[in-house]
Amino acid sequence: MSIKPVLAVMLMMAVVLPARALPAIESWTSADGARVLYVHAPEIPMVDVELVFDAGAARDGDLDGLARMVNSLLEEGADGLDADAIATGFEDLGAVTGFSSQRDMASVSLRSLSAADKLAPASALLARLVARPDFPATAVERIRNQLQSALMQTRQSPGELANRAFYEALYPDHPYGAHPGGTEASLERITQDTLKAFHDRYYVAANAVVAVVGDIGRADAETLVDELLADLPRGERAPPPEGPGTTAGAALLVPYPAEQVHLLMGQRGMRRGDPDYFPLYLGNHILGGSGLVSRLSKAVREERGLSYSVSSRFIPMRGEGPFKLSLQTKSANAGEAVAVVGQVLEEFVAEGPAADELRAAKDNIINGFPLRVDSNAKIGSYLVMMGFYDLPLDYLNTFTARVEDVTAAQVRDAFARRVDPRAFVKVLAGDLDDAQREALGLVVRDVE
């Protein structure tokens, strides 16, 4: 993925847009059944397009890493073109592509000049990649090796090891518990046939959401999307996977030789579109989502010097994504850090926010909101999220009003109903002695 110097400057200039009103979002269903969300942004001569498929790791089945491998191979050979020809094709047009695969979704993106002699051929090339990947044997082995190398690097990162153990314990009977990058064993079992079968099932028009943002009119945007999807079979939208069941609490130690301990604590939190989203979002901002001024940071960092940073966050997904608290500290301080975090959390759940804390959180979120939509790329990311998770089209326009409407009583009520520290999964990755492990009730867990 490379760009010519002159265009690189243009792209850098295109990243941030002048201050403007919130975008008017239009939506329709394409001729092949894909949901499309569109924003006309003529300020700069660029167009951003992103296709999102319900083809994330939650669809891996018993082949962990399959979804990520399919997505990674799209640009490695398609419709008779090899990886070099594909890269050169986009470079000659000054276009930039992106590919990613997470737990819920897999995405393919394109940024191009809006001039017809640039956008049309760039979009046509992208369409060939998405609809007709070749999965050449040499590229399959290259991507397999890259993913296996990534797994080996994970073993050198206590933070990554803790995160993997956290998801496995939080979702023991759900695809969210598996690592999107797979395991060495599962990656070895992936073949060209399984890659093609996955692509045939999930990379279909009816299973896609398309976001278009930029200097392109509505009629041209409709034509662009129809041509982009023309070679994809209509197919069917994948049925929603079953939601995660209940999870018992757990306390785990992932052994790792280091002076620092990585600590993760949490439980299943909320899904996208959750009715408690805004009270939980605001409450978490006060608890551990606002950096150095959060309650956790004041207690753990400022008052006791146990960690340089500590944070908490909800990760909304289609099913209930995690509510996760994290920090790093010296091994000798692990017990005290766990106790302090637990105490702060229990106090917040019991008492909720103070009036001045809530006011400060609202001001911070509302005043910072324009920065969230100050580029085409950021707007496109919101469109993808809104389309994939079926959020209302006025989501952005009502966001700050809904933040302002949240009361302290609503935050307290939502946390009391949704957050139970006694049921937390707790994972420490580091080098603790037997006395520390017993004091914290930790069970040793090895991570592949």
Side-chain angles (χ1 to χ4, degrees):
M1 185 173 68
S2 61
I3 52 179
K4 293 179 177 179
V6 173
L7 182 58
V9 174
M10 295 178 63
L11 291 174
M12 292 175 66
M13 294 174 64
V15 170
V16 179
L17 297 172
R20 65 184 184 191
L22 288 173
I25 301 171
E26 300 179 42
S27 180
W28 65 89
T29 300
S30 76
D32 291 311
R35 187 180 182 195
V36 185
L37 286 84
Y38 158 77
V39 166
H40 185 214
E43 293 87 351
I44 53 174
M46 304 292 297
V47 174
D48 283 87
V49 182
E50 185 165 0
L51 288 83
V52 173
F53 295 91
D54 188 341
R59 305 293 182 181
D60 275 346
D62 62 353
L63 285 176
D64 296 348
L66 177 59
R68 180 160 294 180
M69 201 161 170
V70 169
N71 184 267
S72 299
L73 281 161
L74 295 180
E75 61 177 337
E76 295 294 329
D79 200 21
L81 300 175
D82 62 21
D84 289 340
I86 291 169
T88 301
F90 285 118
E91 183 177 347
D92 287 346
L93 294 167
V96 179
T97 56
F99 300 83
S100 71
S101 177
Q102 306 302 321
R103 284 183 166 81
D104 276 344
M105 65 179 78
S107 73
V108 180
S109 64
L110 170 72
R111 170 169 290 169
S112 169
L113 290 169
S114 57
D117 64 340
K118 296 292 188 297
L119 178 59
S123 176
L125 181 55
L126 187 71
R128 295 171 70 181
L129 269 59
V130 174
R132 296 193 288 272
D134 292 329
F135 300 117
T138 54
V140 170
E141 291 309 312
R142 182 168 62 251
I143 296 299
R144 192 197 316 276
N145 290 336
Q146 289 177 2
L147 292 174
Q148 289 177 333
S149 295
L151 290 175
M152 294 179 67
Q153 292 175 8
T154 296
R155 296 195 185 97
Q156 306 302 316
S157 168
E160 288 293 329
L161 292 173
N163 196 52
R164 290 188 68 150
F166 181 77
Y167 272 90
E168 290 173 3
L170 202 58
Y171 302 99
D173 300 316
H174 190 273
Y176 286 171
H179 181 51
T183 65
E184 288 190 11
S186 67
L187 292 174
E188 285 295 336
R189 290 191 291 120
I190 293 174
T191 66
Q192 286 176 293
D193 288 341
T194 56
L195 293 164
K196 291 175 181 176
F198 186 94
H199 177 269
D200 291 346
R201 171 63 186 91
Y202 294 112
Y203 281 73
V204 296
N207 201 37
V209 171
V210 185
V212 182
V213 183
D215 181 26
I216 182 170
R218 165 70 184 257
D220 288 339
E222 291 188 24
T223 300
L224 172 74
V225 172
D226 287 343
E227 291 178 351
L228 191 56
L229 302 177
D231 290 337
L232 283 176
R234 181 182 181 90
E236 297 180 352
R237 187 172 184 178
E242 292 185 7
T246 58
T247 303
L252 307 173
L253 171 64
V254 180
Y256 190 88
E259 294 182 358
Q260 291 277 316
V261 170
H262 288 250
L263 166 65
L264 295 178
M265 300 170 60
Q267 62 170 82
R268 293 177 184 177
M270 61 175 165
R271 59 179 174 78
R272 283 289 176 194
D274 195 295
D276 286 324
Y277 175 83
F278 285 95
L280 292 175
Y281 172 63
L282 259 168
N284 180 68
H285 192 83
I286 298 165
L287 174 66
S290 51
L292 299 180
V293 300
S294 71
R295 282 200 184 188
L296 284 172
S297 185
K298 290 178 180 175
V300 174
R301 183 180 189 274
E302 290 186 21
E303 297 174 6
R304 296 171 179 83
L306 294 174
S307 178
Y308 180 77
S309 67
V310 55
S311 64
S312 64
R313 61 182 301 206
F314 285 93
I315 307 174
M317 299 165 69
R318 175 156 42 201
E320 289 182 338
F323 170 52
K324 186 162 67 175
L325 300 86
S326 61
L327 63 80
Q328 300 174 44
T329 189
K330 293 180 180 177
S331 299
N333 295 333
E336 184 180 2
V338 170
V340 173
V341 169
Q343 180 182 356
V344 172
L345 177 64
E346 289 185 8
E347 289 176 356
F348 189 78
V349 171
E351 301 169 3
D356 60 337
E357 289 179 313
L358 186 61
R359 183 67 262 163
K362 289 180 179 180
D363 289 344
N364 184 264
I365 292 171
I366 292 171
N367 293 335
F369 185 72
L371 297 178
R372 296 184 174 198
V373 291
D374 66 353
S375 74
N376 287 354
K378 292 178 182 178
I379 294 171
S381 295
Y382 271 113
L383 297 191
V384 164
M385 181 190 74
M386 292 162 58
F388 188 85
Y389 293 113
D390 292 325
L391 301 181
L393 289 183
D394 65 355
Y395 179 81
L396 293 177
N397 284 293
T398 61
F399 187 90
T400 56
R402 298 190 70 176
V403 168
E404 183 60 49
D405 288 344
V406 172
T407 67
Q410 289 172 328
V411 174
R412 183 168 56 251
D413 173 66
F415 268 76
R417 286 185 290 102
R418 303 293 293 272
V419 177
D420 182 4
R422 297 168 300 178
F424 267 28
V425 167
K426 179 169 57 187
V427 178
L428 288 86
D431 186 15
L432 300 185
D433 59 33
D434 290 344
Q436 289 176 300
R437 180 172 59 80
E438 291 177 8
L440 292 169
L442 301 174
V443 175
V444 174
R445 173 71 61 86
D446 291 320
V447 178
E448 184 180 355

